[in-house]
Amino acid sequence: MEEKMEMEEKKRTIEIWMFKYRLPVEMKNEIMQNVDRRLERKKNVFVENLLRHLPEELRKAIKRYLCFDLLKTVPVLQNMDDQLLLKICDCLKPVCYNEHSYIVREGDPIDATFFIKDGIAWTYTTIKVKQVASHSLRVLKEINSLEKN
């Protein structure tokens, strides 16, 4: 009984996700058919990373639906051919981070571009107090100089 309730909860969570992103009805049906088949075989469905449980063509279609318009808003990508943007969509790897997780730490090398589709990402930087004080002092001197002239 508890297992059935857990399965129903997962289905509800997936349905809310599909509603939130306004997925087309055909896509919703195909997703739920795949989820149902997986649950019937007693295989777990990780709702946080749903796409990995779906067939590749459906994954591509979902990523294109969710990300194509987003990519068109990125200044460096705005003049790119639609076919190239679709290929970029196909290469995107959705990742879900828990609250209070680090995506990248300051000073670490980055070999990827991050698009935040949902949620909030905070950025923090560390600056030594001497650097801040030195910069503030320089700015104050410049302001004083401007006021005298």
Side-chain angles (χ1 to χ4, degrees):
M1 186 69 175
E2 185 177 319
E3 186 177 303
K4 184 174 172 83
M5 286 176 51
E6 186 178 320
M7 289 169 42
E8 291 303 317
E9 178 64 29
K10 286 182 181 201
K11 286 182 179 182
R12 270 193 303 278
T13 303
I14 293 168
E15 287 170 358
I16 291 168
W17 177 81
M18 293 187 300
F19 177 79
K20 177 180 179 180
Y21 290 108
R22 298 185 174 112
L23 297 183
V25 173
E26 313 83 47
M27 197 178 280
K28 288 179 184 179
N29 290 338
E30 198 172 344
I31 290 169
M32 291 313 293
Q33 286 171 359
N34 279 279
V35 168
D36 285 340
R37 279 195 298 268
R38 188 166 175 87
L39 291 173
E40 284 171 8
R41 294 189 320 253
K42 303 284 187 211
K43 294 200 173 191
N44 203 355
V45 174
F46 298 99
V47 177
E48 301 81 17
N49 196 355
L50 175 65
L51 295 186
R52 80 179 217 188
H53 301 299
L54 302 174
E56 187 174 346
E57 286 305 310
L58 181 55
R59 261 195 314 252
K60 273 185 179 180
I62 295 168
K63 288 192 290 186
R64 288 176 172 197
Y65 182 83
L66 294 176
C67 300
F68 183 74
D69 290 336
L70 174 67
L71 290 179
K72 287 178 118 178
T73 66
V74 177
V76 73
L77 303 176
Q78 284 178 343
N79 296 322
M80 285 196 178
D81 178 60
D82 284 358
Q83 289 302 313
L84 184 55
L85 291 176
L86 290 172
K87 290 286 185 192
I88 292 172
C89 286
D90 296 345
C91 294
L92 294 174
K93 293 181 174 71
V95 179
C96 184
Y97 291 95
N98 294 325
E99 191 174 359
H100 305 295
S101 294
Y102 288 96
I103 298 171
V104 177
R105 292 182 185 261
E106 184 178 13
D108 287 352
I110 300 174
D111 63 353
T113 301
F114 297 92
F115 298 99
I116 310 296
K117 180 72 179 155
D118 190 24
I120 298 171
W122 293 90
T123 61
Y124 298 94
T125 188
T126 56
I127 300 176
K128 294 183 176 135
V129 175
K130 286 182 182 180
Q131 289 174 328
V132 173
S134 171
H135 177 70
S136 299
L137 185 58
R138 194 169 356 118
V139 170
L140 286 174
K141 285 180 182 178
E142 289 174 14
I143 292 172
N144 286 337
S145 174
L146 289 172
E147 286 177 349
K148 289 178 184 176
N149 294 332

